[in-house]
PDB file of all heavy atoms in Angstrom:
ATOM      1  N   SER A   6      -1.393  -2.065   5.602  1.00 98.00           N
ATOM      2  CA  SER A   6      -1.184  -1.741   4.189  1.00 98.00           C
ATOM      3  C   SER A   6       0.002  -2.530   3.643  1.00 98.00           C
ATOM      4  O   SER A   6       1.081  -2.531   4.234  1.00 98.00           O
ATOM      5  CB  SER A   6      -0.911  -0.238   4.034  1.00 98.00           C
ATOM      6  OG  SER A   6      -0.280   0.009   2.791  1.00 98.00           O
ATOM      7  N   HIS A  30      -5.391  -3.522   4.167  1.00 98.00           N
ATOM      8  CA  HIS A  30      -5.570  -2.221   3.506  1.00 98.00           C
ATOM      9  C   HIS A  30      -4.896  -2.273   2.128  1.00 98.00           C
ATOM     10  O   HIS A  30      -3.701  -2.538   2.022  1.00 98.00           O
ATOM     11  CB  HIS A  30      -4.927  -1.141   4.385  1.00 98.00           C
ATOM     12  CG  HIS A  30      -5.052   0.256   3.878  1.00 98.00           C
ATOM     13  ND1 HIS A  30      -6.087   1.091   4.225  1.00 98.00           N
ATOM     14  CD2 HIS A  30      -4.247   0.991   3.066  1.00 98.00           C
ATOM     15  CE1 HIS A  30      -5.919   2.276   3.654  1.00 98.00           C
ATOM     16  NE2 HIS A  30      -4.801   2.241   2.934  1.00 98.00           N
ATOM     17  N   ILE A  31      -5.689  -2.011   1.100  1.00 97.00           N
ATOM     18  CA  ILE A  31      -5.164  -2.035  -0.269  1.00 97.00           C
ATOM     19  C   ILE A  31      -5.178  -0.617  -0.831  1.00 97.00           C
ATOM     20  O   ILE A  31      -6.227   0.033  -0.872  1.00 97.00           O
ATOM     21  CB  ILE A  31      -6.037  -2.960  -1.162  1.00 97.00           C
ATOM     22  CG1 ILE A  31      -5.960  -4.409  -0.681  1.00 97.00           C
ATOM     23  CG2 ILE A  31      -5.624  -2.846  -2.620  1.00 97.00           C
ATOM     24  CD1 ILE A  31      -4.649  -5.117  -0.919  1.00 97.00           C
ATOM     25  N   ASP A  32      -4.013  -0.156  -1.269  1.00 98.00           N
ATOM     26  CA  ASP A  32      -3.862   1.207  -1.792  1.00 98.00           C
ATOM     27  C   ASP A  32      -3.885   1.204  -3.311  1.00 98.00           C
ATOM     28  O   ASP A  32      -2.889   0.877  -3.958  1.00 98.00           O
ATOM     29  CB  ASP A  32      -2.526   1.794  -1.317  1.00 98.00           C
ATOM     30  CG  ASP A  32      -2.538   2.088   0.167  1.00 98.00           C
ATOM     31  OD1 ASP A  32      -3.316   2.965   0.575  1.00 98.00           O
ATOM     32  OD2 ASP A  32      -1.789   1.427   0.910  1.00 98.00           O
ATOM     33  N   HIS A  63      -8.510   1.533  -0.256  1.00 98.00           N
ATOM     34  CA  HIS A  63      -8.272   2.981  -0.305  1.00 98.00           C
ATOM     35  C   HIS A  63      -7.952   3.353  -1.754  1.00 98.00           C
ATOM     36  O   HIS A  63      -6.879   3.033  -2.262  1.00 98.00           O
ATOM     37  CB  HIS A  63      -7.092   3.311   0.638  1.00 98.00           C
ATOM     38  CG  HIS A  63      -6.638   4.725   0.567  1.00 98.00           C
ATOM     39  ND1 HIS A  63      -5.412   5.139   1.062  1.00 98.00           N
ATOM     40  CD2 HIS A  63      -7.234   5.848   0.089  1.00 98.00           C
ATOM     41  CE1 HIS A  63      -5.275   6.435   0.876  1.00 98.00           C
ATOM     42  NE2 HIS A  63      -6.369   6.887   0.283  1.00 98.00           N
ATOM     43  N   MET A  65      -6.946   5.810  -4.491  1.00 98.00           N
ATOM     44  CA  MET A  65      -6.340   7.095  -4.859  1.00 98.00           C
ATOM     45  C   MET A  65      -6.495   7.217  -6.369  1.00 98.00           C
ATOM     46  O   MET A  65      -5.564   6.979  -7.143  1.00 98.00           O
ATOM     47  CB  MET A  65      -4.876   7.119  -4.420  1.00 98.00           C
ATOM     48  CG  MET A  65      -4.736   7.279  -2.919  1.00 98.00           C
ATOM     49  SD  MET A  65      -3.096   6.881  -2.319  1.00 98.00           S
ATOM     50  CE  MET A  65      -3.349   5.167  -1.902  1.00 98.00           C
ATOM     51  N   LEU A 130     -11.043   8.724   6.437  1.00 99.00           N
ATOM     52  CA  LEU A 130      -9.635   8.316   6.426  1.00 99.00           C
ATOM     53  C   LEU A 130      -8.769   9.568   6.307  1.00 99.00           C
ATOM     54  O   LEU A 130      -8.703  10.182   5.230  1.00 99.00           O
ATOM     55  CB  LEU A 130      -9.360   7.367   5.259  1.00 99.00           C
ATOM     56  CG  LEU A 130      -7.930   6.836   5.147  1.00 99.00           C
ATOM     57  CD1 LEU A 130      -7.599   5.915   6.320  1.00 99.00           C
ATOM     58  CD2 LEU A 130      -7.720   6.082   3.836  1.00 99.00           C
ATOM     59  N   MET A 132      -5.475  11.401   5.815  1.00 98.00           N
ATOM     60  CA  MET A 132      -4.117  11.153   5.325  1.00 98.00           C
ATOM     61  C   MET A 132      -3.148  11.968   6.184  1.00 98.00           C
ATOM     62  O   MET A 132      -3.254  13.188   6.267  1.00 98.00           O
ATOM     63  CB  MET A 132      -3.981  11.576   3.859  1.00 98.00           C
ATOM     64  CG  MET A 132      -4.812  10.776   2.873  1.00 98.00           C
ATOM     65  SD  MET A 132      -4.628   8.993   3.035  1.00 98.00           S
ATOM     66  CE  MET A 132      -2.882   8.782   2.705  1.00 98.00           C
ATOM     67  N   ASP A 167      -3.969   7.394   8.145  1.00 98.00           N
ATOM     68  CA  ASP A 167      -3.148   6.607   7.218  1.00 98.00           C
ATOM     69  C   ASP A 167      -1.889   7.364   6.831  1.00 98.00           C
ATOM     70  O   ASP A 167      -1.960   8.442   6.258  1.00 98.00           O
ATOM     71  CB  ASP A 167      -4.014   6.316   5.973  1.00 98.00           C
ATOM     72  CG  ASP A 167      -3.330   5.443   4.948  1.00 98.00           C
ATOM     73  OD1 ASP A 167      -2.232   4.931   5.216  1.00 98.00           O
ATOM     74  OD2 ASP A 167      -3.925   5.276   3.861  1.00 98.00           O
ATOM     75  N   VAL A 187      -4.098   2.864   9.946  1.00 98.00           N
ATOM     76  CA  VAL A 187      -3.549   2.089   8.834  1.00 98.00           C
ATOM     77  C   VAL A 187      -2.038   2.148   9.004  1.00 98.00           C
ATOM     78  O   VAL A 187      -1.475   3.224   9.165  1.00 98.00           O
ATOM     79  CB  VAL A 187      -3.935   2.713   7.477  1.00 98.00           C
ATOM     80  CG1 VAL A 187      -3.275   1.955   6.333  1.00 98.00           C
ATOM     81  CG2 VAL A 187      -5.448   2.743   7.317  1.00 98.00           C
TER      82      VAL A 187
HETATM   83 ZN1   ZN B   2      -3.796   3.960   2.197  1.00 77.33          ZN
END
Side-chain angles (χ1 to χ4, degrees):
S6 160
H30 182 92
I31 296 289
D32 290 295
H63 173 197
M65 286 165 267
L130 181 67
M132 295 310 299
D167 183 7
V187 176

